[in-house]
PDB file of all heavy atoms in Angstrom:
ATOM      1  N   GLY A 324     194.544  67.638  64.451  1.00 96.00           N
ATOM      2  CA  GLY A 324     195.110  67.781  65.807  1.00 96.00           C
ATOM      3  C   GLY A 324     194.271  68.542  66.783  1.00 96.00           C
ATOM      4  O   GLY A 324     194.708  68.976  67.818  1.00 96.00           O
ATOM      5  N   LEU A 325     192.954  68.704  66.442  1.00 97.00           N
ATOM      6  CA  LEU A 325     192.051  69.471  67.253  1.00 97.00           C
ATOM      7  C   LEU A 325     191.301  68.585  68.297  1.00 97.00           C
ATOM      8  O   LEU A 325     190.724  69.143  69.283  1.00 97.00           O
ATOM      9  CB  LEU A 325     191.064  70.268  66.414  1.00 97.00           C
ATOM     10  CG  LEU A 325     191.711  71.327  65.527  1.00 97.00           C
ATOM     11  CD1 LEU A 325     190.742  71.888  64.577  1.00 97.00           C
ATOM     12  CD2 LEU A 325     192.307  72.402  66.422  1.00 97.00           C
ATOM     13  N   ILE A 326     191.231  67.319  68.116  1.00 97.00           N
ATOM     14  CA  ILE A 326     190.732  66.376  69.048  1.00 97.00           C
ATOM     15  C   ILE A 326     191.706  65.212  69.116  1.00 97.00           C
ATOM     16  O   ILE A 326     192.471  65.004  68.136  1.00 97.00           O
ATOM     17  CB  ILE A 326     189.285  65.874  68.758  1.00 97.00           C
ATOM     18  CG1 ILE A 326     189.197  65.179  67.379  1.00 97.00           C
ATOM     19  CG2 ILE A 326     188.291  67.040  68.824  1.00 97.00           C
ATOM     20  CD1 ILE A 326     187.900  64.544  67.089  1.00 97.00           C
ATOM     21  N   ASP A 327     191.665  64.431  70.193  1.00 96.00           N
ATOM     22  CA  ASP A 327     192.546  63.261  70.284  1.00 96.00           C
ATOM     23  C   ASP A 327     191.805  62.002  69.916  1.00 96.00           C
ATOM     24  O   ASP A 327     190.617  62.019  69.673  1.00 96.00           O
ATOM     25  CB  ASP A 327     193.199  63.168  71.664  1.00 96.00           C
ATOM     26  CG  ASP A 327     192.181  63.031  72.763  1.00 96.00           C
ATOM     27  OD1 ASP A 327     191.001  62.696  72.487  1.00 96.00           O
ATOM     28  OD2 ASP A 327     192.545  63.278  73.962  1.00 96.00           O
ATOM     29  N   VAL A 328     192.544  60.885  69.866  1.00 97.00           N
ATOM     30  CA  VAL A 328     191.942  59.600  69.428  1.00 97.00           C
ATOM     31  C   VAL A 328     190.816  59.167  70.363  1.00 97.00           C
ATOM     32  O   VAL A 328     189.748  58.719  69.856  1.00 97.00           O
ATOM     33  CB  VAL A 328     193.038  58.544  69.283  1.00 97.00           C
ATOM     34  CG1 VAL A 328     192.411  57.096  69.064  1.00 97.00           C
ATOM     35  CG2 VAL A 328     194.007  58.838  68.150  1.00 97.00           C
ATOM     36  N   PRO A 329     190.975  59.196  71.669  1.00 97.00           N
ATOM     37  CA  PRO A 329     189.828  58.797  72.572  1.00 97.00           C
ATOM     38  C   PRO A 329     188.559  59.573  72.297  1.00 97.00           C
ATOM     39  O   PRO A 329     187.447  59.052  72.257  1.00 97.00           O
ATOM     40  CB  PRO A 329     190.376  58.997  73.974  1.00 97.00           C
ATOM     41  CG  PRO A 329     191.851  58.857  73.825  1.00 97.00           C
ATOM     42  CD  PRO A 329     192.169  59.445  72.510  1.00 97.00           C
ATOM     43  N   ARG A 330     188.713  60.894  72.130  1.00 97.00           N
ATOM     44  CA  ARG A 330     187.494  61.715  71.813  1.00 97.00           C
ATOM     45  C   ARG A 330     186.914  61.341  70.449  1.00 97.00           C
ATOM     46  O   ARG A 330     185.688  61.264  70.361  1.00 97.00           O
ATOM     47  CB  ARG A 330     187.860  63.189  71.872  1.00 97.00           C
ATOM     48  CG  ARG A 330     186.635  64.112  71.553  1.00 97.00           C
ATOM     49  CD  ARG A 330     186.878  65.557  71.810  1.00 97.00           C
ATOM     50  NE  ARG A 330     186.690  65.908  73.201  1.00 97.00           N
ATOM     51  CZ  ARG A 330     186.744  67.113  73.637  1.00 97.00           C
ATOM     52  NH1 ARG A 330     187.004  68.121  72.912  1.00 97.00           N
ATOM     53  NH2 ARG A 330     186.534  67.320  74.984  1.00 97.00           N
ATOM     54  N   TYR A 331     187.783  61.111  69.457  1.00 98.00           N
ATOM     55  CA  TYR A 331     187.219  60.713  68.183  1.00 98.00           C
ATOM     56  C   TYR A 331     186.460  59.418  68.284  1.00 98.00           C
ATOM     57  O   TYR A 331     185.361  59.256  67.691  1.00 98.00           O
ATOM     58  CB  TYR A 331     188.355  60.608  67.140  1.00 98.00           C
ATOM     59  CG  TYR A 331     187.848  60.067  65.831  1.00 98.00           C
ATOM     60  CD1 TYR A 331     186.907  60.789  65.029  1.00 98.00           C
ATOM     61  CD2 TYR A 331     188.124  58.745  65.437  1.00 98.00           C
ATOM     62  CE1 TYR A 331     186.431  60.266  63.846  1.00 98.00           C
ATOM     63  CE2 TYR A 331     187.619  58.201  64.258  1.00 98.00           C
ATOM     64  CZ  TYR A 331     186.772  58.962  63.476  1.00 98.00           C
ATOM     65  OH  TYR A 331     186.194  58.422  62.347  1.00 98.00           O
ATOM     66  N   LEU A 332     187.049  58.432  68.961  1.00 98.00           N
ATOM     67  CA  LEU A 332     186.375  57.135  69.047  1.00 98.00           C
ATOM     68  C   LEU A 332     185.072  57.282  69.855  1.00 98.00           C
ATOM     69  O   LEU A 332     184.112  56.594  69.563  1.00 98.00           O
ATOM     70  CB  LEU A 332     187.320  56.109  69.735  1.00 98.00           C
ATOM     71  CG  LEU A 332     188.501  55.735  68.862  1.00 98.00           C
ATOM     72  CD1 LEU A 332     189.379  54.759  69.668  1.00 98.00           C
ATOM     73  CD2 LEU A 332     188.158  55.174  67.554  1.00 98.00           C
ATOM     74  N   LYS A 333     185.042  58.155  70.811  1.00 98.00           N
ATOM     75  CA  LYS A 333     183.752  58.408  71.543  1.00 98.00           C
ATOM     76  C   LYS A 333     182.732  58.991  70.549  1.00 98.00           C
ATOM     77  O   LYS A 333     181.584  58.610  70.605  1.00 98.00           O
ATOM     78  CB  LYS A 333     184.077  59.413  72.656  1.00 98.00           C
ATOM     79  CG  LYS A 333     182.813  59.676  73.548  1.00 98.00           C
ATOM     80  CD  LYS A 333     183.182  60.609  74.711  1.00 98.00           C
ATOM     81  CE  LYS A 333     181.975  60.924  75.563  1.00 98.00           C
ATOM     82  NZ  LYS A 333     182.312  61.842  76.685  1.00 98.00           N
ATOM     83  N   LEU A 334     183.125  59.949  69.700  1.00 98.00           N
ATOM     84  CA  LEU A 334     182.188  60.542  68.773  1.00 98.00           C
ATOM     85  C   LEU A 334     181.727  59.480  67.744  1.00 98.00           C
ATOM     86  O   LEU A 334     180.521  59.428  67.362  1.00 98.00           O
ATOM     87  CB  LEU A 334     182.842  61.718  68.028  1.00 98.00           C
ATOM     88  CG  LEU A 334     183.138  62.884  68.864  1.00 98.00           C
ATOM     89  CD1 LEU A 334     184.023  63.859  68.132  1.00 98.00           C
ATOM     90  CD2 LEU A 334     181.841  63.601  69.276  1.00 98.00           C
ATOM     91  N   LEU A 335     182.663  58.593  67.352  1.00 98.00           N
ATOM     92  CA  LEU A 335     182.302  57.545  66.382  1.00 98.00           C
ATOM     93  C   LEU A 335     181.352  56.592  67.033  1.00 98.00           C
ATOM     94  O   LEU A 335     180.363  56.112  66.407  1.00 98.00           O
ATOM     95  CB  LEU A 335     183.613  56.853  65.911  1.00 98.00           C
ATOM     96  CG  LEU A 335     183.391  55.726  64.893  1.00 98.00           C
ATOM     97  CD1 LEU A 335     182.708  56.258  63.634  1.00 98.00           C
ATOM     98  CD2 LEU A 335     184.735  55.128  64.549  1.00 98.00           C
TER      99      LEU A 335
END
Side-chain angles (χ1 to χ4, degrees):
L325 294 171
I326 59 174
D327 59 17
V328 171
R330 177 171 279 186
Y331 173 69
L332 293 180
K333 182 178 179 180
L334 293 169
L335 182 58

